[in-house]
Amino acid sequence: MATVAELKRGQKGIIREFADDVLPIKLLELGCLPGNEIELVQIAPLNDPIYVNVNGCHLAIRRETAQLIELDLIQEQTAL
């Protein structure tokens, strides 16, 4: 188990279940819901905020908030 804050650039995960009061309502409205795929796009120069892609929507979130979003990592398949 990992959090969004632990992702490396280009790495993806599936958002796990979390308590209703963990994330701000705005993030839930923008698609940060359990079962959705999230990808780390970029990290700001001072490591905060981080930029993620959720359902085609690019979001900037604080590292502090990203540490609250638990994920199941997606292992990339490499072609032979």
Side-chain angles (χ1 to χ4, degrees), residues 1-9 11-12 40 43 50 52 63 65-71 73:
M1 183 173 56
T3 66
V4 173
E6 297 168 6
L7 290 176
K8 293 176 178 39
R9 191 172 183 179
Q11 198 172 20
K12 298 177 183 178
L40 181 65
I43 300 173
I50 62 175
V52 295
R63 184 167 292 278
T65 303
Q67 291 172 339
L68 301 174
I69 305 172
E70 295 179 348
L71 304 173
L73 295 178

Side-chain angles (χ1 to χ4, degrees), residues 6-21:
E6 297 168 6
L7 290 176
K8 293 176 178 39
R9 191 172 183 179
Q11 198 172 20
K12 298 177 183 178
I14 302 293
I15 300 173
R16 298 184 67 151
E17 292 287 330
F18 50 79
D20 292 339
D21 60 344

Side-chain angles (χ1 to χ4, degrees), residues 25-51:
I25 297 295
K26 193 64 171 174
L27 284 180
L28 298 175
E29 291 173 348
L30 291 170
C32 287
L33 298 169
N36 284 348
E37 184 177 297
I38 190 167
E39 175 186 5
L40 181 65
V41 176
Q42 187 176 357
I43 300 173
L46 297 176
N47 287 328
D48 203 13
I50 62 175
Y51 302 95

Side-chain angles (χ1 to χ4, degrees), residues 44-64:
L46 297 176
N47 287 328
D48 203 13
I50 62 175
Y51 302 95
V52 295
N53 179 1
V54 182
N55 294 334
C57 182
H58 285 240
L59 307 172
I61 58 175
R62 294 182 183 133
R63 184 167 292 278
E64 176 184 323

